[in-house]
């Protein structure tokens, strides 16, 4: 087993990367740029090769042109000088393939072997399926039947979300791919786990003496996780209308971030030890036992027409490929509890939505207030301390404390210590997909979701979906460009809390920039 690497200088072992869905959006926006960034940073072994696979015919020149365009538009490194660029792109080939045609896979095998001979790669093969999940099973079978798995090196399967639609379909999918690959060969992507600041949660928590001792229900009042997006469903209406915010973001990204905040420190830094701790959190989530509990603790919403920065925005039901009577949620918020000794009684509020006013992912940890009947608390209204982890697009940490107003004898004001990592010149954080591709090639599965995590998250989410399917829990609406249904605020008000403002300092705060 590979120990988790806390530094990334490690060069991946030589391998052939197969990108299934090579003409699709994910490959263009994320995967090719990730490969190029790894190459530029010297993290890819010289003996690497890439075969793009898709149904559409593409000449080698056209494919290389696609890659060039993708790097130009989406990569954090510019495409190099012609010599450099040619040296990079000569590692790429293309294969047009019908995924159910085993003969095509036999041809792919021949192509692979000659590419392996050309670059002298040791037979390691990484199959990245940037495809609809319904195809994962067929591709796995064809890889096996076409002889693609008979190599001298390792085989790894990297798959995108969504991993199923509910527990049952996820189980079915898992059974199919497990007929071909072992669990330790399967890398299930949740790209939020590849984000710099999500990975930083572990270091902030377990590397700082002034957080870990306070990280429990004695000192923490609540945790708020917000994942807001300004975009609507764009061209993905067909997929999204069957998914909705709960399945698209809740089952995976939101619950994964929650596990990182709530997990116990692992005793060792091996991927399985870390994933064991994460799955324990998921198992400790208090399951909703009735439709009423779902209605009381979960809010669902759908955006209607609205205006954002002077631009008219359509309502969800007017979006392309969306049922004009759709009841799919584009927003959800929930109050959830982790029933273990560390967290008993601490609410975790999670919310996510499309067409909110701000694109932001933030985690706010609100500490318990100082006693109000002694010393300063008697005289002043002291704000609770906050630790805010800014995940995306701004990366950083923000801490809010109370301090004396300079020059005044009798005023106390909240003070914010704001460390903005993404504002620092010279910091060019790797994209999530770079880290994840690198980790998969390294054999480090820490930031991929293990089957038991996926299954446990689905059973939690399925209970909510089942109540909604029975029409329990009102479908609230919110105008596009606003912060979601009002009912979301009430979830917290009932407990004496409120959502803290995200993505920007509190207006009353004095900001002390740690970095200039
Ligand atoms: C994806 C969802 O997993 O994450 C999308 O399917 C969503 O609906 C996206 O827009 C958000 O990712 P990021 O990294 O842009 O916050």
């Amino acid at each position: 087993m590979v120990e988790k690497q806390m530094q990334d200088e490690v060069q991946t072992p030589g391998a052939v990367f197969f990108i299934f869905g090579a003409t699709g959006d994910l490959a263009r926006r994320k995967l090719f740029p990730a490969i190029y960034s790894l190459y530029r940073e010297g993290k890819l072994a010289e003996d690497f090769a890439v075969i793009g696979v898709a149904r559409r015919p593409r000449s080698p020149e056209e494919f290389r042109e696609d890659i060039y365009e993708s790097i130009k538009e989406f990569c954090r490194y510019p495409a190099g000088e012609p010599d450099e660029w040619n040296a990079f792109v000569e590692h790429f080939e293309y294969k047009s393939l019908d995924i159910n045609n085993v003969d095509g896979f036999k041809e792919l095998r021949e192509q692979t072997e000659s590419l392996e001979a050309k670059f002298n790669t040791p037979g390691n093969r990484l199959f990245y399926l940037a495809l609809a999940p319904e195809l994962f099973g067929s591709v796995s079978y064809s890889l096996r039947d076409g002889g693609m798995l008979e190599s001298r090196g390792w085989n790894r399967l990297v798959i995108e979300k969504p991993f199923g639609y509910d527990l049952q379909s996820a189980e079915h999918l898992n059974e199919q791919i497990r007929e071909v690959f072992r669990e330790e060969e399967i890398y299930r992507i949740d790209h939020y786990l590849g984000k710099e600041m999500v990975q930083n949660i572990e270091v902030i928590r377990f590397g700082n003496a002034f957080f870990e001792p306070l990280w429990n229900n004695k000192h923490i009042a609540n945790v708020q996780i917000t994942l807001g997006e300004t975009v609507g469903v764009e061209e993905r209406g067909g997929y999204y209308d069957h998914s909705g915010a709960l399945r698209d973001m809740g089952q995976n990204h939101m619950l994964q971030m929650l596990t990182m905040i709530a997990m116990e420190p692992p005793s060792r830094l091996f991927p399985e030890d870390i994933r064991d701790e994460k799955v324990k959190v998921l198992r400790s989530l208090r399951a909703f036992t009735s439709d009423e509990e779902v209605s009381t603790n979960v809010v669902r919403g759908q955006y209607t027409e609205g205006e954002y920065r002077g631009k008219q925005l359509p309502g969800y039901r007017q979006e392309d490929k969306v049922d004009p009577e759709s009841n799919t949620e584009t927003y959800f918020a929930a109050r959830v509890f982790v029933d273990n000794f560390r967290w008993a009684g601490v609410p975790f509020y999670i919310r996510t939505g499309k067409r909110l006013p701000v694109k932001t992912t933030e985690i706010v940890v609100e500490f318990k207030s100082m006693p109000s009947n002694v010393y300063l608390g008697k005289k002043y209204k002291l704000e609770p301390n906050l630790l805010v982890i800014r995940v995306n697009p701004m990366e950083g940490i923000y801490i809010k404390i109370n301090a004396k107003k300079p020059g005044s004898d009798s005023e106390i004001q909240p003070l914010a210590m704001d460390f903005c990592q993404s504002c620092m010149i010279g910091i060019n954080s790797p994209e999530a997909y770079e880290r994840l591709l690198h980790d998969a090639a390294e054999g480090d599965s820490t930031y991929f979701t293990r089957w038991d995590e996926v299954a446990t998250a689905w059973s939690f989410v399925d209970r909510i979906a089942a109540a909604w399917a029975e029409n329990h829990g009102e479908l609230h609406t919110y105008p596009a460009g606003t912060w979601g249904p009002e009912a979301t605020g009430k979830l917290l008000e009932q407990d004496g809390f409120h959502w803290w403002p995200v993505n920007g300092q509190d207006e009353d705060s004095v900001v002390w920039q740690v970095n200039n």
Side-chain angles (χ1 to χ4, degrees):
M1 210 188 321
V2 189
E3 192 168 10
K4 178 173 163 306
Q5 303 289 344
M6 295 301 281
Q7 89 286 14
D8 304 299
E9 288 80 48
V10 193
Q11 210 178 46
T12 58
V16 181
F17 297 79
F18 297 83
I19 309 287
F20 284 79
T23 52
D25 228 34
L26 185 74
R28 198 168 63 91
R29 285 171 182 270
K30 302 289 184 190
L31 303 180
F32 299 143
I35 294 172
Y36 189 57
S37 299
L38 290 172
Y39 177 81
R40 284 288 297 260
E41 294 187 347
K43 292 179 187 162
L44 266 191
E46 265 307 307
D47 47 353
F48 83 98
V50 179
I51 303 187
V53 182
R55 181 189 283 268
R56 207 178 297 175
R58 217 100 188 98
S59 70
E61 294 70 33
E62 283 171 328
F63 183 51
R64 289 172 185 178
E65 189 54 34
D66 291 346
I67 295 164
Y68 183 74
E69 291 302 321
S70 131
I71 304 305
K72 220 168 72 180
E73 198 173 349
F74 298 110
C75 190
R76 62 193 178 93
Y77 287 104
E81 296 299 312
D83 280 358
E84 265 177 88
W85 176 255
N86 290 336
F88 168 71
V89 88
E90 81 162 324
H91 292 258
F92 284 72
E93 289 197 0
Y94 184 80
K95 172 77 183 152
S96 153
L97 198 64
D98 167 358
I99 55 159
N100 291 312
N101 176 10
V102 175
D103 288 340
F105 280 76
K106 290 183 181 152
E107 289 165 21
L108 181 63
R109 179 182 177 173
E110 282 168 27
Q111 185 176 349
T112 307
E113 283 167 356
S114 70
L115 204 59
E116 284 174 339
K118 177 173 166 194
F119 288 105
N120 200 18
T121 65
N124 298 328
R125 296 176 185 178
L126 185 145
F127 305 102
Y128 196 117
L129 308 193
L131 299 170
E134 303 82 79
L135 306 176
F136 294 168
S138 319
V139 174
S140 304
Y141 299 146
S142 297
L143 284 171
R144 179 193 58 199
D145 300 341
M148 285 294 296
L149 306 180
E150 292 154 28
S151 68
R152 289 176 291 131
W154 45 251
N155 294 303
R156 293 186 187 137
L157 182 75
V158 183
I159 44 184
E160 268 298 323
K161 66 166 272 277
F163 197 83
Y165 172 81
D166 53 15
L167 180 58
Q168 201 187 3
S169 57
E171 272 169 348
H172 178 62
L173 191 58
N174 202 47
E175 277 158 21
Q176 290 183 323
I177 57 177
R178 285 298 309 279
E179 278 181 45
V180 180
F181 293 94
R182 285 176 286 125
E183 174 64 28
E184 52 279 23
E185 293 175 321
I186 304 169
Y187 290 72
R188 296 180 194 81
I189 294 252
D190 182 314
H191 77 280
Y192 264 69
L193 290 176
K195 289 194 192 270
E196 181 70 30
M197 289 306 293
V198 174
Q199 300 193 351
N200 207 352
I201 294 173
E202 269 181 284
V203 181
I204 294 168
R205 283 192 54 192
F206 304 132
N208 289 297
F210 55 67
F211 288 134
E212 186 46 29
L214 304 183
W215 211 258
N216 55 52
N217 58 2
K218 290 189 189 57
H219 301 283
I220 290 179
N222 70 78
V223 177
Q224 306 178 9
I225 304 179
T226 300
L227 205 165
E229 294 189 278
T230 48
V231 289
V233 291
E234 316 296 290
E235 65 290 346
R236 297 164 75 221
Y239 150 76
Y240 196 88
D241 209 27
H242 290 285
S243 160
L246 178 68
R247 294 184 171 91
D248 185 49
M249 304 290 254
Q251 186 269 348
N252 36 71
H253 310 325
M254 305 289 296
L255 289 183
Q256 284 294 326
M257 283 193 286
L258 191 151
T259 62
M260 298 292 285
I261 290 288
M263 74 181 198
E264 294 299 315
S267 48
R268 299 176 308 170
L269 277 180
F270 288 110
E272 296 319 324
D273 297 293
I274 296 170
R275 300 200 294 180
D276 285 347
E277 295 306 335
K278 286 171 62 209
V279 80
K280 280 191 218 161
V281 174
L282 294 167
R283 286 192 202 125
S284 307
L285 286 177
R286 187 185 302 168
F288 298 116
T289 52
S290 66
D291 293 345
E292 286 64 39
E293 272 184 23
V294 172
S295 318
T296 320
N297 291 290
V298 190
V299 173
R300 59 172 170 156
Q302 189 187 72
Y303 63 83
T304 53
E305 255 173 86
E307 198 192 298
Y308 180 67
R309 296 193 174 154
K311 199 174 148 205
Q312 286 302 318
L313 300 169
Y316 176 68
R317 291 180 181 183
Q318 284 94 56
E319 299 277 15
D320 190 28
K321 301 203 186 76
V322 167
D323 176 354
E325 293 179 11
S326 173
N327 282 334
T328 299
E329 79 290 351
T330 58
Y331 178 100
F332 92 94
R335 169 177 40 212
V336 301
F337 289 92
V338 178
D339 283 342
N340 61 19
F341 273 102
R342 187 186 283 267
W343 294 111
V346 178
F348 285 73
Y349 304 105
I350 59 179
R351 61 175 167 171
T352 182
K354 300 266 184 211
R355 286 279 188 238
L356 303 191
V358 177
K359 162 84 180 157
T360 189
T361 303
E362 285 195 19
I363 303 170
V364 179
V365 179
E366 177 178 333
F367 289 85
K368 288 196 170 161
S369 298
M370 296 298 283
S372 60
N373 54 353
V374 288
Y375 188 47
L376 292 172
K378 211 164 169 178
K379 196 161 159 206
Y380 303 102
K381 187 177 174 317
L382 298 176
E383 294 271 327
N385 295 138
L386 303 182
L387 164 67
V388 181
I389 300 173
R390 298 213 158 107
V391 173
N392 184 32
M394 197 201 242
E395 292 173 356
I397 301 163
Y398 164 87
I399 295 172
K400 191 167 159 186
I401 61 173
N402 291 305
K404 190 164 96 50
K405 187 166 185 179
S408 124
D409 287 339
S410 56
E411 272 187 74
I412 289 187
Q413 67 181 8
L415 178 122
M417 294 199 277
D418 191 358
F419 170 69
C420 173
Q421 181 164 291
S422 47
C423 311
M424 288 171 76
I425 295 164
I427 297 277
N428 189 359
S429 293
E431 286 274 336
Y433 280 92
E434 285 170 44
R435 288 185 173 279
L436 295 174
L437 259 179
H438 182 265
D439 285 357
E442 274 289 306
D444 181 349
S445 53
T446 310
Y447 295 117
F448 295 84
T449 43
R450 205 168 60 187
W451 165 243
D452 51 356
E453 291 181 71
V454 175
T456 317
W458 271 127
S459 23
F460 181 74
V461 157
D462 279 356
R463 186 64 195 82
I464 302 174
W468 288 351
E470 293 297 318
N471 273 327
H472 285 277
E474 189 184 340
L475 177 67
H476 299 268
T477 55
Y478 61 100
T482 65
W483 271 109
E486 278 173 22
T488 305
K490 299 210 176 95
L491 269 187
L492 281 75
E493 280 161 30
Q494 289 160 1
D495 304 333
F497 302 125
H498 60 81
W499 289 105
W500 290 98
V502 290
N503 196 36
Q505 283 72 46
D506 226 340
E507 276 164 19
D508 310 333
S509 302
V510 174
V511 179
W512 172 40
Q513 293 282 359
V514 177
N515 52 310
N516 299 317

